[in-house]
Amino acid sequence: MGVDYYNILGLTRSAASGDIKKNYRKLALKFHPEKNPNDQAAYDKFKQLAEAYDVLSDLRKRAVYDQFGEEGLKNGVPEGSGETGAWTKGYTFHGNPDKVFRDFFGGDNPFQEFYDRVDGDLSMGFGGLAGRGRKKQDPPIERDLALSLEEVYHGCTKKMKISRRVMNDDGHTSSIRDKILTITVKKGWKPGTKITFPQEGDQGPNNVPADIVFIVKDKLHPNFRREGVNLIYTADVPLGKALTGCTVDVHTLDDRTLHIPINDIVKPGYVKVVPGEGMPISTNPTEKGDLIIEFNIMFPTTLSPERKEVVRSALLL
């Protein structure tokens, strides 16, 4: 009947490639010679696991094995229709289970880093499976998420297209594929807010994909800038109105127009605070910061002698 590679790995014939990897990893660690010193039975099992994984993790070998069994795999089978008389080359396991183990874990000996010898026995080292036996995650990939003040004021949904390397079903090759990540922007998100998509970076056989992190950044706005939860608006006011009073019209982010009376004398550094007309507070969007109006006092470029005299008389009274 021949060797049952599926049974060796504790699998059925319908096992997916991920199941093959998962079971080999678990059993290879269990029967590794470092954990079972001077145990020939464990070493024999470790070797059987390596051969089973070597066959079932390769799509071509697995297909031949599934159709023709161990005999067909190792002796070769007719190529194509068989009319040419050509046969495939038979499979022979190279006999080195340590090579399969190293290739799988991507290191020379993962046990050197996640096991410590204590009085001749093996115990889990500090951090558990934190050495070479554990796949290391790539550093986060950070990208700007540029949002208009209107988008942050109202909240919105952004769809971000990324291209990443994805492992194919054979577990050895990869291809570039696009993916759409959906971000639900909440009202009042501040610049620097981070949105993390775990493990959406490039995949590889020996790594954990990086997290993709989007960082909120404000787009320039023609009328406002924000500081914390407050909106800052700069009003251009002629000198005469700065001294005698005026009304400032402000078109808001939600399409209203505020008519703000300015009765004080507008001097350098003067600001007008309009409570509750700023940005939503992210933790409680029903509340808002303030609108702060700053002033750019516009001085005349020229004055006739008569007007100078009027100004002089008015200011010297």
Side-chain angles (χ1 to χ4, degrees):
M1 185 174 180
V3 176
D4 188 341
Y5 292 129
Y6 290 100
N7 184 59
I8 290 173
L9 288 173
L11 299 166
T12 64
R13 287 183 173 269
S14 62
S17 60
D19 297 325
I20 294 171
K21 293 177 183 178
K22 179 181 177 181
N23 281 28
Y24 172 73
R25 176 188 178 87
K26 177 180 68 176
L27 294 172
L29 290 173
K30 177 179 179 180
F31 290 100
H32 194 280
E34 289 283 352
K35 285 193 68 178
N36 304 274
N38 303 318
D39 187 336
Q40 185 61 42
Y43 179 76
D44 291 342
K45 178 67 172 179
F46 180 67
K47 188 174 181 180
Q48 291 173 2
L49 292 167
E51 182 175 344
Y53 179 76
D54 190 52
V55 171
L56 298 183
S57 63
D58 183 287
L59 290 181
R60 185 187 62 81
K61 294 176 189 173
R62 182 180 179 182
V64 173
Y65 174 72
D66 286 347
Q67 185 173 358
F68 300 100
E70 182 195 13
E71 182 178 355
L73 176 70
K74 294 185 175 180
N75 294 332
V77 295
E79 289 187 318
S81 63
E83 296 176 356
T84 62
W87 285 60
T88 62
K89 184 179 179 181
Y91 164 76
T92 302
F93 180 55
H94 51 66
N96 186 351
D98 291 323
K99 180 181 185 304
V100 176
F101 189 79
R102 288 196 306 269
D103 290 345
F104 181 86
F105 283 99
D108 292 336
N109 184 357
F111 285 91
Q112 291 177 354
E113 291 188 14
F114 63 73
Y115 281 100
D116 294 324
R117 287 191 177 275
V118 180
D119 296 330
D121 295 326
L122 288 170
S123 63
M124 295 299 292
F126 180 154
L129 302 180
R132 294 181 189 170
R134 183 176 184 177
K135 294 182 179 180
K136 295 182 180 179
Q137 186 172 22
D138 293 337
I141 300 170
E142 296 185 345
R143 297 184 179 181
D144 287 340
L145 176 62
L147 300 172
S148 69
L149 290 182
E150 286 85 357
E151 288 174 324
V152 180
Y153 186 91
H154 295 285
C156 64
T157 298
K158 304 289 283 187
K159 293 187 180 295
M160 311 299 292
K161 181 179 178 180
I162 63 169
S163 296
R164 61 173 187 157
R165 186 170 295 279
V166 177
M167 294 301 296
N168 296 326
D169 291 338
D170 60 13
H172 298 287
T173 61
S174 61
S175 56
I176 301 296
R177 299 180 189 173
D178 293 335
K179 184 172 183 178
I180 302 297
L181 302 179
T182 301
I183 300 174
T184 302
V185 177
K186 296 183 179 179
K187 295 180 179 181
W189 269 359
K190 296 179 180 179
T193 298
K194 294 184 176 182
I195 307 95
T196 301
F197 289 87
Q199 299 184 21
E200 290 289 358
D202 289 341
Q203 297 178 357
N206 300 310
N207 74 304
V208 176
D211 295 341
I212 293 184
V213 181
F214 290 94
I215 303 175
V216 172
K217 180 180 180 181
D218 282 348
K219 290 181 180 179
L220 290 177
H221 194 277
N223 298 323
F224 300 101
R225 72 179 191 275
R226 66 166 164 166
E227 294 180 357
V229 296
N230 297 327
L231 281 175
I232 314 299
Y233 178 85
T234 300
D236 294 329
V237 178
L239 176 59
K241 291 187 176 181
L243 296 174
T244 60
C246 62
T247 297
V248 175
D249 295 335
V250 180
H251 189 74
T252 66
L253 296 175
D254 55 353
D255 290 328
R256 293 175 294 123
T257 299
L258 303 178
H259 306 286
I260 311 299
I262 308 299
N263 299 317
D264 299 324
I265 293 175
V266 178
K267 54 187 177 181
Y270 174 82
V271 297
K272 178 72 173 181
V273 178
V274 184
E277 290 292 348
M279 295 295 289
I281 298 173
S282 59
T283 55
N284 185 4
T286 59
E287 296 184 3
K288 296 182 177 67
D290 299 332
L291 170 64
I292 299 176
I293 303 176
E294 298 177 343
F295 294 88
N296 175 36
I297 302 173
M298 302 169 65
F299 285 78
T301 56
T302 61
L303 283 175
S304 66
E306 292 80 8
R307 290 193 174 187
K308 286 183 180 179
E309 186 59 35
V310 171
V311 172
R312 184 181 296 112
S313 299
L315 294 181
L316 290 178
L317 288 177

